[in-house]
Amino acid sequence: MNIRLFSKKNTTASIWSGGLTYEYMIYPKTASYIDRDFAFRISSATIEETPSEFTKFKGYFRYLVMLDNSLHIDINKEKKVYEKYEIMEFNSDDEVTSYTKGIDFNWMVSEKISHHKLKITNSNQNYNAEIIILFSLDRTAIKINEKPYDLEPHDLLVIENPEKENIMLHFSNECLTGILDF
């Protein structure tokens, strides 16, 4: 098992058409965002322009969560509203126009990967997935098999668990929790 902490303060910004994006992780490490050859990518972005068009990624499924307010969008010309922390799931080649400024969490997963899920949790959980992602919404203490990790708001903890061992997680606050099996 490999546990890695990606601190928000250590992410580097790059520009997208509607603001800035901060990449936490791309998997595998040898993958390239530009080549679109990654299994998954985790980032956070600012939406600074309205309206703004979300970048399309053919062949990817996407989870998006607003971290600071609600999201007013058109998705394939259909109006929708997602409240703060409500999980939006969509195909990454959908037509998405945002009419909201704010900060989001973004997890893109290759359509070649059939088992993945994102939810919000603040209770003790038992997992045996190959990849477990934990994104802190606030200052959070997480115990992984009784070992403590302290996360600041918008830090990311990633557990690579290729043996699919049983892992017990304890949370002090709500986190976005994702699981993925190849």
Side-chain angles (χ1 to χ4, degrees), residues 8-19:
K8 168 66 175 162
K9 67 182 178 196
N10 293 333
T11 60
T12 305
S14 28
I15 297 170
W16 71 282
S17 63

Side-chain angles (χ1 to χ4, degrees), residues 112-178:
K112 295 174 187 170
I113 298 170
S114 60
H115 185 72
H116 50 86
K117 189 66 185 162
L118 183 70
K119 65 181 183 176
I120 293 180
T121 188
N122 65 355
S123 60
N124 297 341
Q125 298 287 320
N126 201 12
Y127 292 103
N128 63 357
E130 288 179 61
I131 303 281
I132 303 162
I133 66 166
L134 307 163
F135 186 83
S136 62
L137 300 174
D138 201 343
R139 186 170 274 156
T140 305
I142 298 174
K143 277 189 190 176
I144 302 172
N145 293 339
E146 298 304 317
K147 183 175 181 197
Y149 294 85
D150 293 319
L151 281 67
E152 293 297 318
H154 305 167
D155 282 355
L156 173 70
L157 197 64
V158 177
I159 304 166
E160 294 178 68
N161 184 26
E163 304 299 318
K164 297 182 83 171
E165 297 173 42
N166 233 10
I167 299 171
M168 180 54 95
L169 301 174
H170 301 273
F171 302 87
S172 68
N173 274 319
E174 283 187 328
C175 286
L176 288 172
T177 306

